[in-house]
Amino acid sequence: MHNDTIALAKALIARRSLTPFDNGCQEILISRLEPIGFHIERIRCGEVDNLWARRGTGSPLLCFAGHTDVVPTGPLDKWESDPFKPEIRDGKLYGRGAADMKGSLAAFVTAIEAFVAEHPNHGGSIALLVTSDEEGVATDGTVRVVEALKARNELIDYCIVGEPTCVDKLGDTIKNGRRGSLSGTLTVRGIQGHIAYPHLAKNPIHLAAPAIAELAQTQWDEGNEYFPPTTWQISNMNGGTGATNVIPGEVTLLFNFRFSTASTVESLKARVHEILNRQNLDYHLVWELSGKPYLTPRGDLVEAVSCAIRTLTRIEPQLSTSGGTSDGRFIADICPEVVEMGPRNATIHKLNEYVEVEDLKQLPQIYRLTLENLLLK
């Protein structure tokens, strides 16, 4: 199983699957899943390939979720080897997507194969949800599969997302939730004019400054046991004509909340509008919700994964909700228990991305033992 995992990871890395293109990766997975009894559904949306594969009809349903798309390579001359020609050097498997997350996909499949070979009549069901639209805009990927499953009332009991979560050693971190992401495009309007005649104009940057200061200093919540406090940050600010003698007519800010379950979308929006209105600003604000926060407290899934890690690595995993968003935010809509657990994340999205070969030997064992913990009760 160990060597097979590495070989499968290499086959996937060799596919140039820059988001949103799958480039045949899912067909490689299907060729392994169909012979062991998986029912295959290909769900294509625009340029995005999605896969829903399920073995069994009973409950509980344990789903492994991931993505085949990868981020751009960056300058090829900065790579020590071709990013789409996987290569093992010094105990590391190099290639774009090695850690994020073709190594996990390979481990999913070989773990399932080993489990089914040993327990062909296992209880419950096993599923694999794979998309090629996770690294991009994420509008035609996992969210579409979840919508299709929800429409036919096909719900998931447990889900493991194979995102790279670990820091120093394989198994040291399980993500049991993620913060939500709420963005805003704020335009504050003034009156354009000659900079030598400020009494004939209204500078929107000056007008917006007190509100910006208040927004930056506001404590939105205190977080909770699993989440740090909610944060608000400006990412872009643009105003002016480019001339040094013109007061601009408007200024536009792009900002983002990373928010915990201690706040809601509605409460954050209301507080922002209250501050802007109190400052008597003439403004226009467009909101965009990228994902709600989700949280899986300690329970069957967290314990099953933790037990597998402890058994195989002697490490006590830590629960974390740090980092950005993942497709877990969509799956949580139809699944009460979602966690992320995969290899170390030190090189994801970087030049010379790699996954430790030893991690690829242990990771499928962790997934296999988790299957036993949940489906052989």
Side-chain angles (χ1 to χ4, degrees), residues 146-339:
V146 168
E147 288 172 354
L149 295 174
K150 189 175 184 180
R152 65 195 193 202
N153 200 34
E154 187 173 359
L155 307 181
I156 300 169
D157 296 289
Y158 309 115
C159 181
I160 300 173
V161 184
E163 291 290 348
T165 59
C166 299
V167 181
D168 298 315
K169 295 180 178 180
L170 179 68
D172 63 11
T173 306
I174 298 171
K175 296 291 179 70
N176 67 320
R178 293 278 190 161
R179 294 176 295 175
S181 178
L182 175 65
S183 297
T185 301
L186 170 66
T187 300
V188 177
R189 293 180 283 257
I191 299 176
Q192 182 174 318
H194 196 295
I195 207 161
Y197 301 93
H199 59 289
L200 299 178
K202 288 184 179 180
N203 193 318
I205 298 175
H206 295 185
L207 295 172
I212 293 172
E214 184 173 351
L215 289 165
Q217 295 168 7
T218 295
Q219 182 174 358
W220 304 95
D221 58 49
E222 298 181 352
N224 54 37
E225 177 186 359
Y226 295 102
F227 287 99
T230 292
T231 61
W232 180 88
Q233 291 289 322
I234 293 176
S235 58
N236 287 272
M237 186 172 178
N238 297 287
T241 64
T244 60
N245 61 350
V246 178
I247 293 172
E250 63 182 33
V251 62
T252 298
L253 290 78
L254 307 182
F255 64 81
N256 177 265
F257 281 105
R258 291 302 165 103
F259 64 105
S260 73
T261 51
S263 289
T264 66
V265 173
E266 292 73 21
S267 69
L268 295 175
K269 287 182 178 181
R271 293 181 68 184
V272 169
H273 282 287
E274 189 278 326
I275 291 171
L276 297 176
N277 293 335
R278 183 160 32 81
Q279 295 291 342
N280 294 314
L281 296 178
D282 179 9
Y283 71 91
H284 178 66
L285 178 52
V286 177
W287 294 98
E288 180 182 358
L289 177 65
S290 300
K292 295 179 181 179
Y294 73 90
L295 176 66
T296 298
R298 291 186 180 276
D300 289 345
L301 181 58
V302 169
E303 183 52 34
V305 178
S306 299
C307 180
I309 291 171
R310 285 193 299 267
T311 300
L312 294 166
T313 70
R314 306 302 178 190
I315 292 173
E316 182 61 46
Q318 300 299 307
L319 299 182
S320 171
T321 60
S322 64
T325 60
S326 80
D327 277 1
R329 69 190 189 273
F330 303 126
I331 299 168
D333 192 40
I334 60 169
C335 180
E337 297 187 44
V338 180
V339 300

Side-chain angles (χ1 to χ4, degrees), residues 40-52:
I40 303 299
E41 290 184 62
R42 297 170 177 88
I43 304 172
R44 185 168 176 83
C45 299
E47 296 180 311
V48 175
D49 287 301
N50 301 302
L51 168 64
W52 174 251

